[in-house]
Amino acid sequence: MWSVVVDHWPMALSMAIGSYAAGSTPMGGGTVGFPVLVLLFDMPASLGRDFSFAVQSIGMVSASIFILCRRQPLAWSMLRGAMLGAVLGTPLGILFLSPLIPELWIKLAFAVIWGSFGVLHLYRLQEITSHSELGAGASAREFRLGLLAGFCAGGMAAAITGVGIDMVVYALLVLLFRVDLKVAIPTSVIIMAFTSLVGVAVKSLTGTWQPGVLGNWLAAAPVVALGAPLGVFVVGLIGRKPTLLVVAILCIGQYLWTGYTERDTLGFTGMMVFIGAVLVCLLGFEWLRSRGNVGSTATDDVSRSPVVPLGRSAV
């Protein structure tokens, strides 16, 4: 199928950038793949969602294997809860919620989720990159929050757009628990990899893949298989702040681009809702941050132990 790969070479080129972001930031490879397919190539938003699942099942899984082999510290309580929530919520969202969402809404939901995320990092980047907490090795609170986040974000954000659960878990870790990015980002990479595999399994078992996914996936898969773990490695050399800043600007750019291209369809009222949705997301982030300030001065009712690298404690 080499001719199919050659026909889709632009996606391979785009995902060379997307795969780096997937391994080095809390944003899946679909964060680049989705807008490239939907905004640049004018493909259906449902195709962008399915492609995100497919390409992340290679790139982010590859990055996850690299992270685990390096024994990087992870927020295991949050991760275990989120994985359980995702395996329950994602299939329900794909089967029952996703078919009800119009193509335009999928596109707008993606733009709002990552646009708000980009804005958050523009004005909170210094604070977020200064956190030094390593999380907890065993925390019932983190597990419960992870379970809720995995179920809701897997069933809504990921099932509809192909991404988003990584952002939610990351936001909980850095805003609520003040976890170091060296722990929060690898944790977000692994939960998105796991959720993508769940999405691929559901899509394959139900035969609901959108036409066009295979060609783009064939072209991009070899690139992301190498690019995502490379992102994990390189960001350790250059630091996370420059990478997060660039990706934040890209997230805001795709939001503005979506608003511009859909302005006639949305009209004045729709554009106000589109803008208001980002503000609502930012208010949610700020609420999490305020709760984190409160929680940081309180004593958790559960015994907490430091995070240790994989392999040195029971998982």
Side-chain angles (χ1 to χ4, degrees):
M1 301 183 72
W2 178 247
S3 61
V4 177
V5 174
V6 173
D7 289 341
H8 293 85
W9 69 266
M11 181 51 66
L13 183 62
S14 301
M15 290 311 299
I17 300 172
S19 61
Y20 173 81
S24 59
T25 71
M27 305 164 190
T31 307
V32 173
F34 186 101
V36 167
L37 281 172
V38 176
L39 300 179
L40 186 61
F41 297 155
D42 198 27
M43 297 291 183
S46 55
L47 171 60
R49 174 199 60 219
D50 288 5
F51 174 75
S52 296
F53 277 139
V55 77
Q56 288 167 174
S57 71
I58 299 296
M60 299 195 77
V61 168
S62 180
S64 297
I65 293 171
F66 186 62
I67 288 168
L68 294 173
C69 288
R70 296 181 79 190
R71 298 189 176 186
Q72 292 185 225
L74 301 168
W76 278 109
S77 291
M78 178 74 71
L79 181 59
R80 284 194 291 263
M83 291 171 77
L84 178 58
V87 82
L88 297 173
T90 305
L92 293 175
I94 291 174
L95 295 175
F96 300 108
L97 179 61
S98 180
L100 304 177
I101 308 299
E103 292 284 337
L104 177 60
W105 289 20
I106 298 174
K107 185 188 299 188
L108 297 179
F110 179 92
V112 167
I113 289 171
W114 291 113
S116 61
F117 199 68
V119 173
L120 170 72
H121 279 77
L122 280 189
Y123 73 90
R124 292 288 183 202
L125 185 61
Q126 185 63 40
E127 177 183 319
I128 289 173
T129 55
S130 67
H131 295 332
S132 58
E133 293 291 329
L134 292 181
S139 168
R141 184 187 179 206
E142 286 187 20
F143 179 85
R144 291 193 298 267
L145 286 173
L147 179 64
L148 179 62
F151 183 82
C152 295
M156 290 185 284
I160 293 172
T161 67
V163 293
I165 190 173
D166 45 352
M167 179 201 73
V168 173
V169 169
Y170 168 86
L172 286 172
L173 289 172
V174 299
L175 298 177
L176 189 60
F177 294 103
R178 303 292 194 267
V179 171
D180 193 308
L181 292 184
K182 294 179 181 178
V183 176
I185 290 180
T187 302
S188 72
V189 169
I190 291 178
I191 187 57
M192 191 68 255
F194 178 80
T195 305
S196 296
L197 291 175
V198 174
V200 167
V202 174
K203 286 284 180 180
S204 298
L205 290 173
T206 57
T208 54
W209 287 106
Q210 291 294 315
V213 171
L214 178 61
N216 288 295
W217 179 82
L218 283 173
V223 175
V224 300
L226 297 175
L230 183 63
V232 178
F233 177 75
V234 172
V235 77
L237 302 178
I238 67 174
R240 299 189 184 275
K241 186 179 293 186
T243 300
L244 283 172
L245 182 61
V246 171
V247 174
I249 293 172
L250 291 176
C251 287
I252 296 172
Q254 64 83 27
Y255 172 80
L256 296 175
W257 187 1
T258 301
Y260 177 78
T261 57
E262 300 296 338
R263 65 191 186 283
D264 293 334
T265 304
L266 293 175
F268 178 79
T269 302
M271 286 298 296
M272 291 299 100
V273 173
F274 186 57
I275 295 170
V278 170
L279 298 178
V280 169
C281 288
L282 291 175
L283 288 174
F285 289 140
E286 289 302 313
W287 180 80
L288 278 178
R289 178 177 174 273
S290 67
R291 296 300 300 170
N293 283 333
V294 172
S296 63
T297 61
T299 301
D300 200 311
D301 59 350
V302 179
S303 175
R304 300 168 68 90
S305 59
V307 162
V308 295
L310 178 66
R312 298 187 184 179
S313 69
V315 176

